[in-house]
Amino acid sequence: METKYKYYNYEDSFDRLDEILDESDTSFPEVDEIPARDKLTYKNGFYVNCSAFFVDIRDSSELPNKHKRPTLAKIYRSYISEVVAIMNGNTDCSEIRIEGDCVSGIYNTPKQYQIDSMFSDAAKINSLIKVLNHKFQKRNITEIEVGIGMDYGRALMIKSGYKGSGLNEVVWMGDVVNSASNLCSNANKGWDNKVIFASNVIYSNLNDHNKDLLSKNYNHDCYHGNVINNDMEKWYDENCKTQSSTSGGLW
C-alpha cells in the first residue's frame, strides 16, 4: 500500500492497541461465502470457507545474475500481468495479492463446480508460461518455471491497517492459506517436475475428468500434474512452430 503521511503520536498509538486487544471474540462470525469488503471494519472479521491459490517462479533469485534490471522488469511485468489477468477473469476469485514474484488469490468456492473453475485457472497459467517462454526465447531472455499450489479450508478474513489513515488491507489467515503456499513452494522442484500441486480436499471435490489429470504425490500427501489448457495449447502449436513438450492432460 502507498503511504499517506500522518504524524505519529505514541499516546494515540497506545490507545489504539487497547481498542484492538479488547475487541470481543463474537465479532468474528462464521459465513459460507466471502462477504463484500465493505462489510469489514477494524472491529470485526469473518471465518470463511474458501480456496487459496498460489503461483510462484522457481529459482527467481538466480534471475538477477542473468539479466540487467530493465530485462528483469520485463520478465516480472509480463509474468505477473497475465497471471493476474487469468485469475481476475474468474468471477469466483475475490482477492489477488502480489508479493515479489508470488501471485496469490482467494477464491469463493462454496460449490464443487467452482473448485473445477479454479483448477482451470491453474491449467491456463501452466499453458501461459509455455507461451511466455517461447516469447522470452525469441528475445534471448531466460525462460522461467513456476509452481502452483491450491487448497480449500477455513480462513479468517480481517481488515488490517492504520485506523483513520486510509492505509488498510484485507488479510487472510488460516491453515488453508499456509497449506496452499507450501504446496506452491514444493511444486515443480527437483525430481518432481509437476507444476500443479492440489491438496487432497481439492482433489476430492474435482469432477472425474479433472481427477484423471492428476496423480498421487505421496511425498507431499497431495495430488500433482502438468495439466494444460486445450485451446491455449492449440494456439501454441499453430503459432510457435514447435512440438509441445508439456506432458499431462488437457483441461
Side-chain angles (χ1 to χ4, degrees), residues 201-219:
V201 176
I202 291 290
Y203 178 82
S204 66
N205 282 283
L206 293 172
N207 62 38
D208 290 340
H209 171 75
N210 287 334
K211 284 180 179 177
D212 288 342
L213 303 179
L214 300 176
S215 59
K216 183 67 178 181
N217 182 315
Y218 292 96
N219 287 330

Side-chain angles (χ1 to χ4, degrees), residues 8-9 14 37 53 76-77 95 114 119 128 153 171 190 233:
Y8 175 76
N9 181 295
F14 299 161
R37 274 172 165 254
F53 184 102
Y76 288 119
R77 279 179 175 171
E95 298 278 342
Q114 293 171 307
F119 183 74
L128 166 71
V171 177
E233 183 72 8

Side-chain angles (χ1 to χ4, degrees), residues 228-245:
I228 52 182
N229 178 274
N230 195 13
D231 291 337
M232 295 172 74
E233 183 72 8
K234 181 179 179 181
W235 186 96
Y236 178 89
D237 288 341
E238 292 176 351
N239 292 275
C240 297
K241 310 296 185 184
T242 59
Q243 182 65 34
S244 169
S245 60

Side-chain angles (χ1 to χ4, degrees), residues 27 61 66 72 94 102 114 131 154 160 204 213 217 220 228:
S27 299
S61 61
K66 300 176 180 178
L72 287 174
S94 297
C102 178
Q114 293 171 307
V131 173
R154 185 170 175 258
S160 182
S204 66
L213 303 179
N217 182 315
H220 298 288
I228 52 182

Side-chain angles (χ1 to χ4, degrees), residues 44-163:
N44 72 352
F46 298 94
Y47 283 106
V48 186
N49 288 319
C50 60
S51 292
F53 184 102
F54 280 74
V55 186
D56 202 359
I57 297 179
R58 298 285 76 104
D59 299 322
S60 58
S61 61
E62 297 299 318
L63 291 175
N65 298 326
K66 300 176 180 178
H67 295 291
K68 295 181 179 179
R69 285 174 221 171
T71 301
L72 287 174
K74 292 177 182 179
I75 293 172
Y76 288 119
R77 279 179 175 171
S78 56
Y79 151 75
I80 291 173
S81 167
E82 301 315 301
V83 169
V84 169
I86 288 172
M87 294 166 66
N88 189 60
N90 189 324
T91 56
D92 297 324
C93 187
S94 297
E95 298 278 342
I96 298 174
R97 187 175 298 274
I98 302 167
E99 294 183 18
D101 55 273
C102 178
V103 183
S104 61
I106 299 294
Y107 284 69
N108 196 33
T109 54
K111 306 294 185 183
Q112 282 187 284
Y113 74 86
Q114 293 171 307
I115 300 286
D116 288 300
S117 178
M118 180 181 68
F119 183 74
S120 76
D121 285 354
K124 290 174 185 174
I125 290 170
N126 195 18
S127 291
L128 166 71
I129 298 304
K130 187 174 178 181
V131 173
L132 183 58
N133 279 333
H134 175 76
K135 294 180 181 294
F136 282 169
Q137 189 178 54
K138 292 199 301 183
R139 295 166 173 82
N140 295 317
I141 297 175
T142 301
E143 296 181 20
I144 63 172
E145 294 182 345
V146 303
I148 300 172
M150 64 187 83
D151 197 4
Y152 173 87
R154 185 170 175 258
L156 176 61
M157 174 189 185
I158 64 169
K159 183 178 183 179
S160 182
Y162 173 17
K163 185 178 179 181

